[in-house]
Amino acid sequence: MSELVTAAMVVIGDEILSGRTKDRNIGHLADMLTAVGIDLKEVRIVSDDEAAIVEAVNALRARNTYVFTTGGIGPTHDDITADSIARAFARPCNYDDRAYSLLEKHYASRDIEFSDARKRMARMPEGAEHIDNPISIAPGFRVENVYVMAGVPAIFQAMLDNVIPTLKTGAKLISETVPSSLPEGAIGGPLGEIQAAHPETIIGSYPKYQDGSFWTEIVVRSRSKAALEEAIVAIRSMLEDIPPRQVAKG
Amino acid sequence: MSELVTAAMVVIGDEILSGRTKDRNIGHLADMLTAVGIDLKEVRIVSDDEAAIVEAVNALRARNTYVFTTGGIGPTHDDITADSIARAFARPCNYDDRAYSLLEKHYASRDIEFSDARKRMARMPEGAEHIDNPISIAPGFRVENVYVMAGVPAIFQAMLDNVIPTLKTGAKLISETVPSSLPEGAIGGPLGEIQAAHPETIIGSYPKYQDGSFWTEIVVRSRSKAALEEAIVAIRSMLEDIPPRQVAKG
């Protein structure tokens, strides 16, 4: 059986916490990691505050294979992610020569001033490796197991596409969904028994509510196809056995 | 000046971390809290795991005025929020008499069995107060400064509507947005100086990328209308002073 590969995410930005910007990166990262068999264990959204960023990154990098951050690597005064990551690793945060040249050339070719603000985007913790940014050039970076990426979704996604193929991926979790018109309350008891009898699976029950009715999606996940199929058979058989009067709303 | 009122949120559920369900509650809570002047300081998304829930709730309740949780209070085996909150407060988790009667009556009136699974929804930490649930009856609950609510967005929103009027609200943060067709790199330097000169404001700069062009939304927040207006004047004047060649893409 393959090693379990885990990940955590730190979303950095006051604009998410104020509700002004709705995050679109968490769901994308979750989908991408699940697709390659990496377990996303925790996400934290923190403000543009060095102490908060350092605490979250240090707590999560110690107990996960990978940590991914989004946000705070642009050119303005509230972009403090590079400094905060440097602080988390107790490394200096300097201009990176290669990033500096890349940006200098990029702006020169467009006849745009390479301002002090834009130069900030060349700063990163000493020893960091670049994550290429095909959209706006300013690179993200990696320090040990921490991948620092942009918050703008198009740029985050482009950077992540460069990162995913470099990751150690886990045994992929396979999943199968059994929709049921029954509400959770009608199936919770027997479903718990099925979970206990099928320890190699993770059985999730997701209540849905639409147009005044409750129904349930049951999702079985496993790293073993055989274990998954046995649990699915047990669930389908359980659903067929529920007395019809349970099918009422509630 | 009013006391600062802060909040944190714990989103509980494997389905969010796997990407299967996209969270719709974080943005809603953020909007609601901002509207009443409460600062949302941190959000954590954790899995259906007691130790993870206890750690997040205990870390956040100690340093915030309020903590709001969503998810994991339904009738199935993976709904472990009530037990986890009880554990976080070192209280027993028992059937709550009033919740039990509410649910018993609700199901009896619809001729639906009050199954052991459904009875689970009457369990809560000893001494918890109910948060009414007008949609599916099973209440959320409050223990000290922790508000435990459903994950299904319609139910979460209905519960939150009952909670918001009971909260101590902060001095409301007012905000004003200045859109700029300039990219962040063109304004980052002078904007940082304006932030330094206007300490009673929080100036955020949010890069936007659309159809190959970068532009910026500058948001000024303050508890003082006068301070906000002074910063806005300074920003508008700064934007007028940027030389036109900076308006290129980049």
Side-chain angles (χ1 to χ4, degrees), chain A residues 14-15 17-20, chain B residues 1-5 30-41 169-176 199-204 206 219-225 227-228:
Chain A
D14 290 348
E15 72 277 22
L17 293 169
S18 74
R20 218 179 145 281
Chain B
M1 198 156 149
S2 314
E3 186 190 355
L4 194 66
V5 183
D31 286 337
M32 294 290 281
L33 294 179
T34 297
V36 297
I38 296 175
D39 271 3
L40 181 61
K41 301 293 279 184
T169 53
K172 191 172 155 180
L173 211 58
I174 49 177
S175 76
E176 189 169 332
E200 265 195 271
T201 66
I202 304 160
I203 303 178
Y206 305 114
V219 181
V220 184
R221 300 185 183 85
S222 182
R223 294 194 156 78
S224 151
K225 193 166 161 54
L228 179 106

Side-chain angles (χ1 to χ4, degrees), chain A residues 11-12 25 40 60 69 109 174:
Chain A
V11 176
I12 298 162
N25 296 331
L40 180 61
L60 297 173
T69 81
S109 75
I174 48 176

Side-chain angles (χ1 to χ4, degrees), chain A residues 8-57:
Chain A
M9 179 183 197
V10 182
V11 176
I12 298 162
D14 290 348
E15 72 277 22
I16 306 287
L17 293 169
S18 74
R20 218 179 145 281
T21 299
K22 301 296 181 272
D23 169 81
R24 286 158 48 201
N25 296 331
I26 297 171
H28 179 74
L29 181 68
D31 285 339
M32 293 290 282
L33 294 179
T34 297
V36 296
I38 295 176
D39 271 3
L40 180 61
K41 300 293 280 185
E42 184 172 349
V43 177
R44 296 192 189 179
I45 308 175
V46 300
S47 62
D48 297 319
D49 174 80
E50 185 172 285
I53 298 168
V54 169
E55 180 195 309
V57 167

Side-chain angles (χ1 to χ4, degrees), chain B residues 156-226:
Chain B
F156 168 66
Q157 291 170 22
M159 287 181 172
L160 188 63
D161 286 344
N162 289 329
V163 166
I164 291 279
T166 71
L167 302 177
K168 176 169 61 176
T169 53
K172 191 172 155 180
L173 211 58
I174 49 177
S175 76
E176 189 169 332
T177 299
V178 183
S180 166
S181 60
L182 299 168
E184 275 199 315
I187 58 179
L191 198 63
E193 288 162 25
I194 293 171
Q195 170 71 87
H198 294 81
E200 265 195 271
T201 66
I202 304 160
I203 303 178
S205 164
Y206 305 114
K208 303 287 172 178
Y209 177 75
Q210 204 164 22
D211 303 331
S213 274
F214 284 90
W215 57 284
T216 308
E217 275 191 347
I218 302 165
V219 181
V220 184
R221 300 185 183 85
S222 182
R223 294 194 156 78
S224 151
K225 193 166 161 54

